[in-house]
């Protein structure tokens, strides 16, 4: 059953306002597709428990807008790279991978998760929203054989040490890790091996969220 248009109108306005505040270009068509993804997430969540957040308005802020905040920094990192590739590890319901695929059509996005129903959901989103740049893998990331990526990202997947250890072989020659975190994980950063360089901890201000958010950018090599 399609989402109620009366309910969608205020969410559309909130999404557009958040995008504007974040400085991310989102046109009406892209906003509609993001909300269509939100509707699919809500409907599948009733059966498959893809996320603990059940209320669609909270989903909008805590999932869509939170991931929207990554788009500007990601575009800055990728710059003019030819055929850039992003790996989203422990993608769950497709966050942030699906949001990246929707708003960055020139980026090849691969979402990997060990839970089959979550991988199946992401594939359904790719089919329903016609996203040829979105792929999904039902696998352990350390067993993945999809080659090298420009950015390897995660959201609530693991500690920084585990995240980098499990995915290091997926980084391209100039690849970086992008970990979405709450407050600056100083203890996790301190536990990283000496050959991992945290070159930037980028604070985020997510519209509608009071909780602290940040991006931890890392690359192989000693800290400077």
């Amino acid at each position: 059953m399609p989402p109620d248009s009366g309910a969608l109108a205020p969410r559309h306005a909130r999404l557009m306002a958040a995008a504007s505040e974040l400085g991310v270009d989102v046109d009406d068509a892209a906003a509609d597709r993001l909300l269509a993804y939100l509707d699919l997430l809500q409907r599948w969540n009733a059966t498959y428990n893809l996320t603990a957040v059940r209320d669609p308005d909270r989903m909008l802020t805590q999932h869509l807008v939170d991931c929207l905040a990554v788009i500007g920094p990601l575009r800055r990192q990728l710059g003019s790279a030819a055929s850039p590739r992003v790996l989203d590890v422990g993608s769950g319901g497709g966050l942030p991978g699906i949001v990246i695929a929707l708003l960055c059509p020139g980026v090849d996005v691969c979402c990997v998760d060990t839970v089959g129903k979550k991988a199946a959901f992401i594939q359904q989103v790719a089919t329903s929203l016609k996203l040829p740049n979105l792929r999904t893998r039902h696998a352990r990331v350390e067993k993945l054989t999809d080659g090298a990526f420009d950015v390897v990202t995660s959201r609530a997947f693991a500690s920084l040490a585990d995240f980098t250890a499990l995915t290091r072989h997926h980084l391209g020659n100039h690849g970086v890790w992008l970990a979405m975190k709450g407050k600056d994980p100083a203890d996790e950063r301190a536990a990283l091996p000496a050959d991992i360089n945290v070159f930037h901890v980028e604070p985020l201000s997510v519209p509608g969220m009071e909780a602290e958010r940040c991006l931890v950018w890392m690359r192989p090599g000693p800290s400077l």
Side-chain angles (χ1 to χ4, degrees):
M1 195 173 181
D4 178 64
S5 58
L8 277 183
R11 289 177 200 149
H12 187 283
R14 283 176 54 203
L15 185 60
M16 295 294 280
S20 177
E21 188 173 337
L22 290 166
V24 177
D25 292 331
V26 177
D27 59 21
D28 286 333
D32 287 342
R33 296 178 88 196
L34 285 166
L35 291 174
Y37 160 53
L38 187 72
D39 179 60
L40 284 168
L41 182 62
Q42 183 185 8
R43 286 191 282 147
W44 276 61
N45 201 44
T47 303
Y48 291 102
N49 194 30
L50 300 171
T51 169
V53 181
R54 300 285 176 176
D55 178 72
D57 289 325
R58 288 181 60 212
M59 281 183 173
L60 176 64
T61 298
Q62 295 183 26
H63 290 331
L64 283 192
V65 177
D66 187 40
C67 291
L68 198 65
V70 178
I71 299 300
L74 180 67
R75 287 174 174 167
R76 179 194 67 221
Q77 173 63 34
L78 293 174
S80 58
S83 305
R85 304 184 75 213
V86 171
L87 176 64
D88 179 19
V89 182
S91 192
L95 299 159
I98 290 174
V99 176
I100 294 171
L102 274 164
L103 295 180
C104 304
V107 177
D108 179 79
V109 180
C110 180
C111 295
V112 58
D113 202 281
T114 58
V115 180
K117 62 188 178 183
K118 294 178 179 179
F121 169 71
I122 296 168
Q123 182 57 55
Q124 180 61 44
V125 173
T127 301
S128 297
L129 299 185
K130 297 179 174 57
L131 294 172
N133 61 324
L134 176 64
R135 295 176 292 113
T136 183
R137 296 288 184 266
H138 173 211
R140 299 186 67 84
V141 67
E142 59 269 34
K143 302 294 185 182
L144 200 64
T145 58
D146 280 54
F149 293 84
D150 299 284
V151 176
V152 178
T153 189
S154 71
R155 181 177 186 255
F157 167 64
S159 69
L160 295 179
D162 287 344
F163 171 46
T164 53
L166 290 169
T167 62
R168 189 166 190 151
H169 61 295
H170 292 305
L171 282 182
N173 290 334
H174 301 288
V176 299
W177 287 286
L178 168 57
M180 298 178 66
K181 292 288 184 177
K183 63 183 297 186
D184 180 0
D187 291 345
E188 290 186 29
R189 289 195 287 114
L192 285 166
D195 62 348
I196 300 294
N197 173 20
V198 178
F199 66 90
H200 186 32
V201 178
E202 183 170 357
L204 294 178
S205 179
V206 179
M209 288 184 67
E210 295 181 4
E212 292 183 64
R213 301 292 288 157
C214 73
L215 303 178
V216 182
W217 294 92
M218 299 167 286
R219 61 166 65 100
S223 298
L224 301 179

